Amino acid sequence: MESDQIKALRRVVWHYYRRAGRDLPWRRTRNPYRILVSEMMLQQTQVGRVLPKYPEFLRSFPTVRALAEAPLAAVLRMWSGLGYNRRAFFLKRAAEIIVREHRGRVPRSAKALEQLPGIGAYTARAVLCFAFDEPVVFLETNIRSVFIHYFFAERAKGGSAVSDREIEALVEAALDERRSPREWYFALMDYGAHLKKTIGNPNRASMQYTRQSRFAGSEREARGRTLKLLLSGARSADELASLSKLSRSRVRRALSSLAHDGLVVKDSGRYSLKE
């Protein structure tokens, strides 16, 4: 039996979505590859930054095979500006595996998707939902915000954190077999984004909530600057330090981290992108 609270939540969410739902380019397709690209881009990145890069990326790499066969440097250049460059590396490696092991078709099972580089439980289920309209249960920050606001507001006020397990049970209960799961999750995300703008971020009461660290002075900044310089060719650590205006120690830590992730290789004292 559906609770009155679940029914009321659906009414509120659908009402908001009909009135103010967002028209986003990745919502106009059911192509699994295009949806996978959008989900990888949206990891830890605001929608506004993804909007201009998404069509550019797909013009350069319109199919999973085109991405798999592209040079890594070309993929990273197109990704520039989105940050977290390892996502571009993982996406390209995932495309290579899809071509090699899945005949160029994005898998239609969570287990197979999660075996691809850079794809976790959320991304796998988001692809299943948005490409194949499957009624899977998954969470991201806006979805959490909706359910915490609606079902755990008093507890959040008392400072007690809410677990994903508790939220997932409610997310599953709120799925409506008479409506498209794909559209329902679009509506939930839009309503959650609306809540954040109007009442603050309910997701702060989640056990999963972590405040993003500052970019300035971070390892992410050093990695990004270093990688951008390597897009134009191989360089020594000293050259990279001079051109990036970062200390040698920061550059060397960045290079070590990039090499660990499989993005950079060293040969005869010079560093270059791994192909």
Side-chain angles (χ1 to χ4, degrees), residues 245-263:
K245 306 212 181 318
L246 296 170
S247 68
R248 291 183 183 181
S249 60
R250 287 190 68 194
V251 167
R252 290 190 181 279
R253 285 197 300 271
L255 287 167
S256 176
S257 174
L258 290 165
H260 180 268
D261 286 344
L263 286 164

Side-chain angles (χ1 to χ4, degrees), residues 83-84 212-222 224-225 250:
Y84 296 99
Q212 191 174 48
S213 59
R214 289 182 55 189
F215 180 71
S218 68
E219 181 184 306
R220 286 190 295 127
E221 180 189 38
R225 283 202 213 175
R250 287 190 68 194

